[in-house]
Amino acid sequence: GAATGSTKRVIGTSEWLGSALFYDDNGRVIQSISENHMGRTDKVTQTYKGNGALRSSRQDVHQVRTEQVPHYDPAGRMVGLSHHTGQLVKWDSTANLIFEDGRWKKNTGGTSWNAGGISSQFIPSETEGKLEFHADDYTGRKMRGLSADNINNIWNDIEYAFFFLDIDDFEVREKNGARYSGKYSAGDVFTITRIGDQILYYHNHTLLPVVSSPPTTLALTPDISLLHVNTYVQDLWFYQGDKRVL
């Protein structure tokens, strides 16, 4: 009997706006999608911990993402709330990439690590921040990460990265040094974050057992490199800072 959607009319017009609700197997709302009067789509996504407590609530409006993350004490009571504001990564300079169907795709250059992008966005020095994305369907080898010196598209220069080798294998790599290996599926969430001077890696919100070497407080910018033609990347989200609001 739970509601799955609704429509509403814009006052003074014949325009109707729709919305939809999606639930998990426990009857909890995990996502709502609604049309707005600007002709765009608003999306709210919620994730939960194993004990049922809210893990995060995220709102996507156009190219801005707002995320709230509760903090709990050992008794399970919420004692704080962090607020993050993120933006889609903008690639200001690219090599052997074209923007097509909402994603950046390698279109030339053969099978070589000669395609990538440079962004003007960055996590300022001595500031916390993170890069987050969903794994897409495998179309070829690619690396996505953060670098302190992002001046080219060479894969082994990416200082802190996730490397997707094939349809279900990934590695954590730091300047071409393998630090961790694991399995993934399309749609999984990957996060690289800096707290203090430590770089931390998460897969589906689970901290991976990686100790970064070396730690860094330098400014970090998004960095990508692609090996195969027709390999693509899309929807990398970039966050600066961590504002505690409660």
Side-chain angles (χ1 to χ4, degrees):
T4 57
S6 65
T7 58
K8 56 186 177 183
R9 192 175 72 178
V10 179
I11 296 175
T13 75
S14 59
E15 181 182 7
W16 288 85
L17 303 176
S19 64
L21 294 171
F22 301 88
Y23 300 83
D24 64 13
D25 292 338
N26 295 312
R28 301 172 299 198
V29 174
I30 55 174
Q31 191 172 80
S32 66
I33 301 176
S34 59
E35 300 171 313
N36 64 38
H37 69 286
M38 301 294 290
R40 298 169 179 163
T41 300
D42 299 337
K43 182 188 298 184
V44 177
T45 305
Q46 299 185 132
T47 61
Y48 301 88
K49 296 176 178 287
N51 62 3
L54 181 67
R55 181 192 301 275
S56 67
S57 179
R58 188 181 70 219
Q59 182 178 24
D60 294 337
V61 179
H62 192 31
Q63 294 187 358
V64 177
R65 171 173 289 179
T66 303
E67 183 179 50
Q68 293 185 337
V69 179
H71 303 277
Y72 302 91
D73 67 13
R77 298 169 297 195
M78 191 176 77
V79 295
L81 187 68
S82 291
H83 179 87
H84 312 265
T85 299
Q87 294 183 329
L88 278 174
V89 173
K90 300 179 179 66
W91 302 108
D92 302 291
S93 178
T94 62
N96 294 329
L97 297 180
I98 59 171
F99 189 70
E100 181 178 271
D101 298 327
R103 57 195 184 186
W104 288 98
K105 184 173 73 173
K106 180 174 180 178
N107 66 324
T108 187
T111 303
S112 178
W113 290 103
N114 57 8
I118 298 174
S119 175
S120 61
Q121 297 161 303
F122 63 93
I123 301 172
S125 61
E126 301 184 358
T127 302
E128 296 182 359
K130 67 179 181 179
L131 180 73
E132 187 168 86
F133 58 90
H134 286 77
D136 33 47
D137 293 329
Y138 181 78
T139 54
R141 291 190 170 187
K142 70 192 83 174
M143 296 186 74
R144 288 172 277 199
L146 295 168
S147 289
D149 187 13
N150 184 12
I151 59 174
N152 57 48
N153 49 35
I154 305 302
W155 72 295
N156 56 12
D157 283 348
I158 302 180
E159 291 176 89
Y160 308 99
F162 283 109
F163 178 24
F164 296 87
L165 288 77
D166 53 41
I167 195 169
D168 62 358
D169 292 305
F170 77 91
E171 292 180 348
V172 172
R173 288 203 170 222
E174 296 182 348
K175 281 214 167 183
N176 198 24
R179 310 284 292 168
Y180 177 86
S181 61
K183 298 288 186 179
Y184 78 98
S185 299
D188 286 0
V189 181
F190 289 87
T191 309
I192 305 173
T193 185
R194 176 167 66 191
I195 298 178
D197 63 354
Q198 297 296 313
I199 303 297
L200 306 176
Y201 301 86
Y202 293 84
H203 177 206
N204 287 336
H205 310 291
T206 298
L207 178 64
L208 300 179
V210 179
V211 179
S212 293
S213 177
T216 183
T217 58
L218 298 175
L220 297 172
T221 189
D223 199 350
I224 56 172
S225 186
L226 297 84
L227 176 64
H228 299 99
V229 172
N230 292 325
T231 300
Y232 65 87
V233 297
Q234 63 181 357
D235 293 353
L236 278 76
W237 290 90
F238 182 67
Y239 298 81
Q240 297 182 45
D242 181 358
K243 183 179 179 182
R244 194 84 165 213
V245 296
L246 180 64

